[in-house]
Structures are given as structure tokens and as C-alpha cells.
Amino acid sequence: MTREVVWDHGVSLPEHRLWLDPLVVRTFAFISHAHTDHARRHKEALLTPQTLALIPESRRPRGWRMLGYHETMRRGQASVTLHPAGHMLGSAQLLFEHHGTTLLYTGDIKLRQPGGAPPTFVPRADVLILETTYGRPHFRFGDPDSTVEAIATWCRRALDSRVTPVLLCHALGKTEEMMLALAPYGFSFALEKRCAPCAREYANAGRPLPDWVELDADSPGGRVVIAPPSGKDEVRRLGRYRTALVSGWAKDAEFARLFGADATFDLSDHCDFDELMEVVERSGADQVYTVHGYTADFARHLRKKGIRASALEATEQLALAL
Ligand SMILES: [Zn+2]
């Protein structure tokens, strides 16, 4: 395999006509997970059964090839294997092998998992394409179990003083993982209307959730409310409530202020800076390409450590600047 990897509204291995999370419709594309920034109506998509189940009908690819975790698919002379990425239900890393050379595309990835689950496995590869959403060193998140514990305490205190605790979480993935992480503490939930369809899809895709109802602004009735961080109209009708932003962006003071939350918790479904370094180390790659977020910053940190690294998206930004 030549090691040619290019960026053109998504990552591509041109020799193999394989696109990885492209932003425009392609003939054959891997969709790493169900977040809207990744799912497009490709002619044929490669994805996990859970990811397919989480993509609404209107945004589904026209054709698909489902592949489970640890299953291998031939593609010409090459092979493709999917591994869990720990980012959300169905999220997958793609390991590509051709003539003894291996390439790992992480998609959105999270190493440390709450609830005593083992950290996400990173396959070894010669070339690594890594998402670097939090690729700056001030993004260092606390231990997920301790953070979940702190969130549970915060919710309990609010409920005890007859104030509704409102957790601001992304509707798909984050909301459901938050519910599952808090389930052992015995909470029940009321979900804002944008979170409710996602919770239904999560359950349909094979991950049952703890007790929840759709938020009725009059009476959340001792439940923990979960709502997306943007547009708090429904939340404002709650009367006495307190909000907490649950996101890696909690580590960015300016960003956290923007959301005007009463509290912040740095629980993320992405790797922090140290986890990103760990992914690189564990992969053993001698060539790293970065995509998403602080791509140039993280590539520079890697080069300082003597690892060949460059930001893929920077190429496009440069092209756009011309
Ligand atoms: Zn994502």
C-alpha cells in the first residue's frame, strides 16, 4: 500500500476508492458513528448495525454493508476490520490492511470508560488517522467515575432542596450514556423533546435505558432533566432549576461561559489531550494524520516528540484561503 491519504471534505484512500466519514455524498464510504456531522446519503456505506439503527430514515445511505465489531471484510486486495471506538453506541475504528501495511482510522474515539468498563482497545498500525477534537494540552479531563459521582451528588443536592437539576448534554449519545452512568444512583429522568427521539432510537438499537419520560415543563416530578446545551426555552419554564454543562468544553472557560450554566463537569465522549497521546503510543504508528478540532496544534505536539505528523484538514483550509 502506498501511504497516500488525502483530505477532500473527508479522508480518502484514493487507491482503494474508500472514503472515511466524507462530508459529501460518495460511492463507498465508512460512517464511523451516527452523529449528524458524519452520516450522509452515500451510494453505499460501511457501518455497524447499531450505527445504521441510530441514523434516522431520512438521512440513511442509499445502500449499506453492515459489519460487526472484530469482523473483517475484503476490499480488493485489502481487508477492513472494525473495532469499538468507545465514543457512543455503534461507534467504530476502522483498521485497513494492504500488503502488510496497516492504517487505523479512529473516527470519534474515547479511551476511558465509566462504570468499571475496560478502556477502548487501540489496534497497532503503521499509519494513524486520529480525531483531535481536544488536541490542546489544557483539555485534561478528570477520571470518568469520579466525575459521574460528582454529577450524581450535584443532582441529589438539587432534588433534596426541591430544585430541578438540568444536565446539558448532546441529544444523541451523550444523553443516553449519561442516563446509563447515573442509573446505579437510582435517578429517573425527564428528557427535553430533542433528546426523546434519540433515547427511543438508542433503546431500539439494543441499549435499554433507565426509566424516563418526555419533559413536561409543569412537573418534572423529582426527575433529573436532560436537555441539549443550545436553546433552553423548555428549561426556562421549569421554575426552580439549576443547570450543569456536561462536556469536554467545560475545560475551556470562555466556551463554558457561553452556555451560562450554573456548573460544569468535564465528562466527555472524546479523548482528552493525554488520551490522544496514549492512542498514538498504543497504535505504534510512525505516521499520524490529524482531523477535527485542534489538528495543527496536536500535530505540532507530536512532531516535538519526534513523530511524523500533519493535519489533514489544514490542507483544505489552505486551499480555501487561496
Ligand atoms: Zn461524534
Side-chain angles (χ1 to χ4, degrees):
M1 176 171 87
T2 66
R3 290 168 157 213
E4 198 194 353
V5 176
V6 297
W7 170 267
D8 177 10
H9 299 92
V11 183
S12 133
L13 308 178
E15 249 183 80
H16 302 277
R17 294 194 301 280
L18 174 63
W19 287 87
L20 308 171
D21 284 329
L23 301 173
V24 292
V25 172
R26 300 288 183 187
T27 308
F28 187 72
F30 170 59
I31 299 177
S32 65
H33 65 291
H35 281 148
T36 47
D37 51 336
H38 294 265
R40 293 288 182 280
R41 291 181 61 81
H42 305 298
K43 190 163 175 223
E44 191 182 11
L46 174 68
L47 34 58
T48 63
Q50 298 92 332
T51 293
L52 182 67
L54 289 174
I55 300 176
E57 209 76 44
S58 60
R59 287 195 291 107
R60 282 201 175 165
R62 286 169 284 163
W64 55 76
R65 168 78 198 257
M66 281 194 277
L67 200 62
Y69 293 135
H70 313 295
E71 288 176 13
T72 299
M73 181 195 87
R74 305 284 326 164
R75 182 152 176 84
Q77 296 288 302
S79 72
V80 167
T81 312
L82 301 187
H83 294 271
H87 173 63
M88 67 177 286
L89 182 62
S91 66
Q93 311 175 67
L94 179 145
L95 183 66
F96 185 87
E97 299 182 71
H98 184 237
H99 288 166
T101 303
T102 49
L103 175 145
L104 178 67
Y105 171 69
T106 62
D108 285 2
I109 186 171
K110 175 66 181 175
L111 284 191
R112 292 184 293 172
Q113 303 290 327
T120 302
F121 168 75
V122 180
R124 293 191 68 84
D126 304 305
V127 181
L128 173 68
I129 306 171
L130 176 65
E131 70 102 352
T132 50
T133 300
Y134 295 118
R136 281 184 176 174
H138 68 285
F139 290 108
R140 285 195 165 94
F141 308 147
D143 162 64
D145 282 325
S146 316
T147 309
V148 168
E149 175 97 45
I151 295 172
T153 304
W154 182 86
C155 290
R156 180 60 61 207
R157 277 204 193 117
L159 290 170
D160 286 350
S161 46
R162 300 186 178 282
V163 172
T164 303
V166 181
L167 301 176
L168 304 174
C169 300
H170 269 294
L172 180 59
K174 195 59 168 292
T175 291
E176 294 74 19
E177 298 301 336
M178 191 74 257
M179 292 165 78
L180 289 163
L182 288 177
Y185 296 88
F187 295 111
S188 52
F189 302 88
L191 304 186
E192 202 251 51
K193 60 176 184 292
R194 287 169 292 170
C195 296
C198 300
R200 270 180 221 113
E201 283 158 16
Y202 233 70
N204 288 341
R207 191 163 295 181
L209 298 173
D211 172 61
W212 67 274
V213 295
E214 194 162 330
L215 177 62
D216 170 353
D218 299 330
S219 57
R223 291 170 181 265
V224 173
V225 170
I226 304 186
S230 61
K232 297 197 205 65
D233 289 355
E234 260 193 86
V235 170
R236 285 198 190 93
R237 285 196 284 268
L238 282 174
R240 298 184 68 208
Y241 68 90
R242 225 172 267 159
T243 57
L245 176 69
V246 183
S247 167
W249 294 107
K251 281 286 176 236
D252 199 297
E254 208 168 307
F255 195 89
R257 239 194 328 269
L258 212 74
F259 281 99
D262 302 310
T264 56
F265 294 103
D266 60 358
L267 189 74
S268 179
D269 46 14
H270 291 269
C271 288
D272 69 2
F273 184 83
D274 292 335
E275 289 174 288
L276 288 173
M277 281 294 180
E278 199 180 326
V279 173
V280 174
E281 271 165 37
R282 288 216 251 140
S283 75
D286 59 16
Q287 170 75 65
V288 180
Y289 294 106
T290 55
V291 288
H292 300 303
Y294 297 110
T295 51
D297 297 71
F298 195 74
R300 197 171 52 245
H301 278 284
L302 289 178
R303 288 197 298 272
K304 270 194 243 160
K305 288 183 160 258
I307 298 164
R308 281 189 296 159
S310 52
L312 270 185
E313 277 163 308
T315 323
E316 191 203 32
Q317 282 157 15
L318 195 69
L320 286 173
L322 289 171

